[in-house]
Amino acid sequence: MQKDRTDSIATYFSMNDLSSDLSDWIGNNKNGETYLSKRKFYGNIEGGVLLLSTFREIALEQIRYRKQVFKLAKSDLVNTYSDTMLGWAWAIIRPATYIAIYYIAFAFGLRTGKPVEGYSYFLWLIAGIIPWFYIRDVFVEGAASIRKYRYLVTKIKFPLAVIPAIESTTLMLTNVALIGIMLLLYIFSGHYPDIYWLQIPFYIVVMYIFFLSWSLFAAILSSMSKDFLQLIKSVTIGLFWLSGIFFDASNVQNDVLRHILRVNPITFIINGFRNSLIYKRWVWEDLNSLLIFVFMYIIMTMLALFVYKRLADDVPDVL
């Protein structure tokens, strides 16, 4: 009887010890999970602060070196055509030739394009083609900019983040001239400026800053790997057909393709020029498209900042 009572007391205390140990383990585990959660949370905050700091650093460099960027862009534009009789005018003549070919094809040859909102299909088309010329060139040449100006990295120690801005500015100078020619074509066709034309500078700016982020992202990766640059060259034609250059993206019947076009920043820019010149719509009338573009720009900028922070120090050694 005494033995049974002793065994019961021993069992009672052993169960209490196990319960206490289990409670301590659960408490410690919760504390550990809380610690890991807090560490992850503060780690994310720290990462965000570093990205903001990097963004500020790059923005200040862009401002500080803006005069040098413009001088180098102007010099690059002149030197590219220095051995020709017409000089830098070829930067405008070449794309203008494409425009003339499109005009001949659709006005006298194919005759397939129907007028849009009282505008000829040719005028509707060049409202998308002209900004595409810039997008196409900066998509590839912006990615190759650091390799093109490698001497600025290896010899002069020019800020790496500013180099893509040189190529972007060179191409934008040409495109602004082409946009001016396009507006003259609209005027000669009897479509005179109105208040909606005031949006055109806005779309020029957003086109420039978006692809400036792209250029920084792609230029660093291309400087580390030539294969990445070749990949970019390969997908350019795909971007052309997935950006609504030759067709109205809003009329696409396929749901998958329509969603791709909707999140494509190029489509937003192309539609922006057409909304300003043809459809007479303000940018805020399609708020969803504007918000999607802003979101895509933030993603593109974050990727550029992340790649710059991780690989910028290695680029001079690779080059």
Side-chain angles (χ1 to χ4, degrees):
M1 186 71 177
Q2 182 68 28
K3 184 178 182 302
D4 293 340
R5 182 178 297 175
T6 303
D7 291 342
S8 297
I9 294 172
T11 302
Y12 172 78
F13 281 108
S14 63
M15 290 297 293
N16 280 350
D17 291 341
L18 178 61
S19 177
S20 178
D21 292 342
L22 184 61
S23 298
D24 291 343
W25 181 84
I26 292 174
N28 291 336
N29 190 50
K30 287 183 177 178
N31 290 336
E33 290 180 352
T34 302
Y35 170 74
L36 291 176
S37 298
K38 288 183 178 179
R39 185 175 180 180
K40 184 178 180 180
F41 175 73
Y42 289 118
N44 290 336
I45 292 179
E46 183 181 2
V49 171
L50 286 175
L51 285 181
L52 288 175
S53 176
T54 304
F55 179 81
R56 180 177 179 275
E57 171 191 338
I58 293 174
L60 290 175
E61 286 180 344
Q62 298 286 353
I63 296 172
R64 189 179 302 118
Y65 287 87
R66 63 188 184 280
K67 292 182 180 180
Q68 291 89 329
V69 166
F70 186 78
K71 288 180 181 179
L72 287 169
K74 183 179 177 182
S75 176
D76 180 55
L77 188 61
V78 173
N79 292 337
T80 300
Y81 304 97
S82 60
D83 56 346
T84 63
M85 183 178 297
L86 297 178
W88 60 267
W90 279 110
I92 299 175
I93 294 173
R94 184 166 59 92
T97 303
Y98 286 117
I99 296 173
I101 292 172
Y102 285 129
Y103 176 75
I104 294 171
F106 288 101
F108 304 105
L110 299 177
R111 295 182 180 274
T112 56
K114 297 179 181 179
V116 181
E117 301 288 332
Y119 292 76
S120 67
Y121 180 75
F122 169 72
L123 291 177
W124 181 90
L125 180 63
I126 63 172
I129 285 288
I130 296 298
W132 166 253
F133 285 153
Y134 171 78
I135 294 169
R136 175 199 62 191
D137 292 342
V138 77
F139 187 75
V140 177
E141 295 180 31
S145 58
I146 291 179
R147 285 189 172 273
K148 178 180 179 180
Y149 294 99
R150 67 179 65 193
Y151 69 92
L152 293 177
V153 180
T154 58
K155 297 180 180 180
I156 304 179
K157 304 302 180 183
F158 197 80
L160 187 69
V162 179
I163 293 176
I166 302 172
E167 193 67 28
S168 297
T169 303
T170 301
L171 297 171
M172 182 53 74
L173 291 173
T174 303
N175 198 252
V176 167
L178 288 173
I179 290 173
I181 294 174
M182 176 181 68
L183 297 180
L184 288 176
L185 289 175
Y186 272 76
I187 293 173
F188 291 153
S189 300
H191 302 286
Y192 299 103
D194 56 31
I195 192 171
Y196 294 95
W197 284 31
L198 296 176
Q199 295 182 116
I200 293 176
F202 167 77
Y203 287 108
I204 292 174
V205 171
V206 298
M207 179 169 64
Y208 179 82
I209 63 173
F210 181 89
F211 284 98
L212 187 60
S213 292
W214 157 259
S215 297
L216 178 60
F217 168 77
I220 292 177
L221 291 181
S222 297
S223 65
M224 303 295 291
S225 171
K226 292 182 179 180
D227 291 327
F228 183 77
L229 182 58
Q230 294 303 320
L231 176 64
I232 290 173
K233 293 178 180 179
S234 301
V235 302
T236 305
I237 189 65
L239 278 179
F240 178 80
W241 292 108
L242 290 175
S243 302
I245 309 295
F246 272 98
F247 55 88
D248 189 345
S250 62
N251 293 333
V252 174
Q253 300 298 320
N254 185 279
D255 290 338
V256 175
L257 181 58
R258 188 168 62 252
H259 287 309
I260 292 175
L261 289 166
R262 189 168 180 79
V263 301
N264 185 351
I266 301 175
T267 305
F268 173 81
I269 295 169
I270 299 301
N271 287 343
F273 278 90
R274 286 176 175 155
N275 287 339
S276 302
L277 293 168
I278 294 175
Y279 296 112
K280 309 305 179 183
R281 298 172 187 159
W282 293 109
V283 62
W284 54 80
E285 290 185 34
D286 189 358
L287 191 58
N288 287 336
S289 295
L290 177 60
L291 292 176
I292 290 172
F293 177 81
V294 172
F295 176 76
M296 296 302 294
Y297 171 70
I298 292 173
I299 296 297
M300 187 72 261
T301 302
M302 289 178 66
L303 287 173
L305 295 174
F306 178 78
V307 169
Y308 175 80
K309 196 67 178 176
R310 286 296 184 91
L311 301 176
D313 293 337
D314 299 327
V315 170
D317 297 330
V318 174
L319 295 177

